[in-house]
């Protein structure tokens, strides 16, 4: 069975042109429509952790995994109530050194300052049944650093999230989708069970658990674009 793993970043009104990465904003109205479509079509939206038995073929059903990268505060403010209404769960991949901080990695590129969830918001996120995963300590480009630093970013971010929240962290998302077989090994050795990339297709039982594909949902996606992402392999 193939399971689409959707990737969102910010659920907020997109800023005016010109701004890089505007496509990473999905309007709350569009997000609500997309979740309603899933519901209408009989899909269950699940966190990555909850969706993995379906990806592995241990469970069967109409399932879509819902993931958010970067831990933005607008996700708990805007997306969480919509997810709750639909009875869906989701995963948010957290930049471990930016808890209560902001998108410092994006700002030099001209992206508008956006707050990341603080500890209380992340606790609330998990209380709602959602998962948190790691997205490194500093949202680094793993491809551009030496092996020791890449390993530190992968390993210490998991340890930090586990010690702050007292929960086991099993999921990881590669920043910018950048990874190599080398990084996948580090992810496994760090103790993660699952890691996601940005390869654009649905996930299935033949995929490497340390390199699952995902489909990005963008600002300009129409209902038709969205449905195509859900319904195709
Ligand atoms: Zn990211």
């Amino acid at each position: 069975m193939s399971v689409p793993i959707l990737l969102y970043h910010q659920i907020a009104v997109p800023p005016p042109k010109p701004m890089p990465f505007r496509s990473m904003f999905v309007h709350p109205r569009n997000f609500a429509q997309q979740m309603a479509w899933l519901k209408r079509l009989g899909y269950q939206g699940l966190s990555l952790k909850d969706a993995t038995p379906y990806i592995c073929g241990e469970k069967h059903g109409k399932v879509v995994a819902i993931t958010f990268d970067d831990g933005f505060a607008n996700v708990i403010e805007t997306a969480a109530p919509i997810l709750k209404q639909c009875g869906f769960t989701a995963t948010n991949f957290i930049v471990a050194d930016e808890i209560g901080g902001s998108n410092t990695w994006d700002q030099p590129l001209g992206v508008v300052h956006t707050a990341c969830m603080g500890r209380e918001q992340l606790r609330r996120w998990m209380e709602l049944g959602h998962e948190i995963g790691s997205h490194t300590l500093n949202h680094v480009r793993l491809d551009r650093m030496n092996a020791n630093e890449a390993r530190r970013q992968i390993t210490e971010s998991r340890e930090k999230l586990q010690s702050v929240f007292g929960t086991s962290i099993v999921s990881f998302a590669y920043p910018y989708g950048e990874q190599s077989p080398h990084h996948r090994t580090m992810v496994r050795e760090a103790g993660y069970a699952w890691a996601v990339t940005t390869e654009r297709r649905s996930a299935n039982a033949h995929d490497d658990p340390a390199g699952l594909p995902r489909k990005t949902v963008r600002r300009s996606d129409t209902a038709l674009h969205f449905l195509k992402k859900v319904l195709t392999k």
Side-chain angles (χ1 to χ4, degrees):
M1 199 177 93
S2 75
V3 174
I5 305 175
L6 301 178
L7 164 56
Y8 292 93
H9 290 82
Q10 306 213 29
I11 307 300
V13 177
K17 280 194 242 182
M19 198 201 73
F21 303 116
R22 267 179 92 230
S23 67
M24 296 298 122
F25 288 75
V26 171
H27 197 290
R29 195 179 50 224
N30 290 3
F31 183 75
Q33 278 170 1
Q34 290 163 3
M35 295 303 109
W37 267 113
L38 292 180
K39 196 87 193 153
R40 207 174 298 152
L41 293 171
Y43 280 93
Q44 178 67 28
L46 293 176
S47 65
L48 181 64
K49 189 170 72 176
D50 292 345
T52 50
Y54 296 88
I55 296 170
C56 298
E58 292 163 6
K59 284 187 179 177
H60 300 275
K62 283 175 89 172
V63 158
V64 170
I66 302 171
T67 71
F68 299 87
D69 276 8
D70 305 342
F72 291 123
N74 54 46
V75 172
I76 190 149
E77 289 156 4
T78 316
I82 297 166
L83 293 168
K84 189 174 179 186
Q85 209 173 17
C86 294
F88 292 170
T89 58
T91 301
N92 207 318
F93 291 100
I94 309 304
V95 181
D97 278 356
E98 292 295 345
I99 295 171
S102 66
N103 57 339
T104 48
W105 64 92
D106 263 348
Q107 290 163 34
L109 306 173
V111 180
V112 67
H113 173 281
T114 307
C116 293
M117 281 191 263
R119 289 186 184 202
E120 278 319 304
Q121 287 172 310
L122 286 166
R123 284 205 181 91
R124 195 145 47 85
W125 174 258
M126 287 184 277
E127 279 164 15
L128 288 164
H130 304 307
E131 178 191 17
I132 62 168
S134 166
H135 200 35
T136 71
L137 291 167
N138 307 109
H139 205 285
V140 291
R141 290 190 175 274
L142 293 170
D143 279 1
R144 297 188 191 172
M145 53 185 42
N146 67 45
N148 282 343
E149 179 59 10
R151 187 181 297 279
R152 190 180 79 85
Q153 289 281 337
I154 291 167
T155 305
E156 288 187 13
S157 58
R158 178 168 190 254
E159 288 165 358
K160 182 171 181 177
L161 292 173
Q162 292 192 147
S163 79
V164 171
F165 298 106
T167 183
S168 177
I169 301 294
V170 295
S171 302
F172 179 84
Y174 302 96
Y176 312 96
E178 284 179 358
Q179 42 85 36
S180 67
H182 214 55
H183 298 129
R184 292 187 185 194
T185 303
M186 290 178 188
V187 160
R188 279 187 283 264
E189 286 173 355
Y192 297 99
W194 315 101
V196 284
T197 67
T198 51
E199 192 193 336
R200 274 184 275 172
R201 57 177 180 81
S202 292
N204 64 63
H206 303 294
D207 283 316
D208 177 359
L212 296 173
R214 284 193 294 180
K215 296 179 175 181
T216 303
V217 183
R218 296 173 197 284
R219 178 187 62 84
S220 56
D221 281 352
T222 61
L224 198 64
H225 285 133
F226 176 76
L227 290 173
K228 215 173 131 195
K229 286 176 183 179
V230 171
L231 298 170
T232 56
K233 287 198 175 176

